[in-house]
Amino acid sequence: MANIYFAFTDEKLMEVPELHPEPIINTVPEWYKNIPNKIFKTLDNENDFLTSSRVSTIKTCPSFVDIFKEGYVIKAPQDYLFYYDDETDDYKWQSSTQYDTGTEHSVGRFNQVSIHSNNQMVDYLPSNSGIKFVFKIILPVNVFTDEGYSTRIIPIPYSFNQDWSSSYGVFKTDYIHQLNIQLQIKTVKKEILIKQGTPLCVVIPFKRETFTHKIVDLNKDKKLLKKLNRSRVLFDGKFSKQYYINKWHKK
């Protein structure tokens, strides 16, 4: 079993477990919790051979079932107020607390937030990206993983945040440990308040491996075909009552 360590640089945060990173399964959004596994759909056409049907929702879809089981949520350790005016290119920020970020030659608020100027990335983005500016939050936490493991940083899945989002990134956290969040400002609002405890991103540790890819004819690869058929059994299971034979085609 591999390990990931979240090491705080400010001991005050050790006393506030509500602000500690935690498995994403503990922070599933309410809208997702409220989705049933199956719904009943009634068909209005009385001539249709099927008068009602059980429809599976995304909660039973293989691409969704593990979204909120992988990774750890990183939370804002304090309140942050960000300001950016895209007409004047003026920016500023404020924080509610002075944390020791553990960065060299500096302790406290002056090293808690930095920026990526627009000529570093934003100026090169397509116009429809919606990103206007990038603040860099230097968090008072370091991430350590076992040798050969990296950490992927992704935005909060399906958060539907129209004001900001974290940037996608990958760190070799067996060598690089300081956790910085690239905050992409997308809103036309000049000020954004991020409250203490707000989920900022998800970090997902993974083992670095080298892959080679192959293109094959599935009809000629019995081993892969067997795997495919086995997966269909796992996901589909037995036919349930929602499947009927059209009465006009019965023998």
Side-chain angles (χ1 to χ4, degrees), residues 9 20 28 42 50 67 102 105 109 121 154 202 237 246-247:
T9 56
H20 294 176
V28 177
T42 301
L50 190 61
I67 287 177
H105 305 310
R109 65 184 307 139
M121 185 182 78
I154 67 171
V202 177
N246 189 318
K247 62 182 179 181

Side-chain angles (χ1 to χ4, degrees), residues 73-243:
V73 172
I74 303 298
K75 305 173 187 179
Q78 59 180 314
D79 291 350
Y80 293 97
L81 182 64
F82 297 100
Y83 173 92
Y84 178 70
D85 188 330
D86 59 352
E87 294 181 357
T88 63
D89 201 33
D90 291 332
Y91 67 90
K92 59 184 177 181
W93 63 274
Q94 290 180 299
S95 64
S96 60
T97 309
Q98 290 190 359
Y99 283 124
D100 179 1
T101 58
T103 51
E104 187 178 7
H105 305 310
S106 180
V107 172
R109 65 184 307 139
F110 296 106
N111 226 16
Q112 290 179 352
V113 174
S114 182
I115 68 163
H116 279 307
S117 57
N118 283 357
N119 59 13
Q120 291 181 279
M121 185 182 78
V122 174
D123 290 345
Y124 304 96
L125 296 175
S127 58
N128 61 358
S129 72
I131 300 173
K132 301 179 181 299
F133 195 71
V134 178
F135 286 99
K136 182 170 71 172
I137 302 178
I138 304 170
L139 292 172
V141 61
N142 289 280
V143 180
F144 295 81
T145 49
D146 294 342
E147 185 176 352
Y149 284 81
S150 293
T151 298
R152 184 175 291 111
I153 298 178
I154 67 171
I156 303 295
Y158 297 99
S159 65
F160 307 111
N161 188 329
Q162 298 180 347
D163 293 336
W164 59 269
S165 67
S166 57
S167 298
Y168 189 103
V170 176
F171 288 89
K172 293 182 177 180
T173 39
D174 50 354
Y175 297 105
I176 302 172
H177 309 295
Q178 175 66 55
L179 183 58
N180 301 327
I181 306 300
Q182 318 301 320
L183 198 72
Q184 301 173 345
I185 304 300
K186 300 184 293 184
T187 181
V188 295
K189 303 174 185 176
K190 289 186 171 58
E191 287 188 347
I192 296 176
L193 175 64
I194 297 179
K195 298 290 292 182
Q196 184 183 56
T198 299
L200 296 175
C201 67
V202 177
V203 296
I204 304 173
F206 65 95
K207 186 177 182 179
R208 295 192 298 272
E209 296 180 284
T210 301
F211 287 85
T212 58
H213 79 282
K214 299 178 180 180
I215 309 299
V216 300
D217 184 342
L218 185 59
N219 297 300
K220 297 179 180 179
D221 195 316
K222 294 182 179 180
K223 184 177 180 180
L224 293 182
L225 194 58
K226 184 177 180 180
K227 285 185 177 182
L228 176 63
N229 291 331
R230 185 165 64 246
S231 70
R232 284 174 176 165
V233 172
L234 289 173
F235 289 126
D236 293 342
K238 296 180 179 179
F239 285 102
S240 61
K241 293 181 180 179
Q242 76 229 47
Y243 297 99

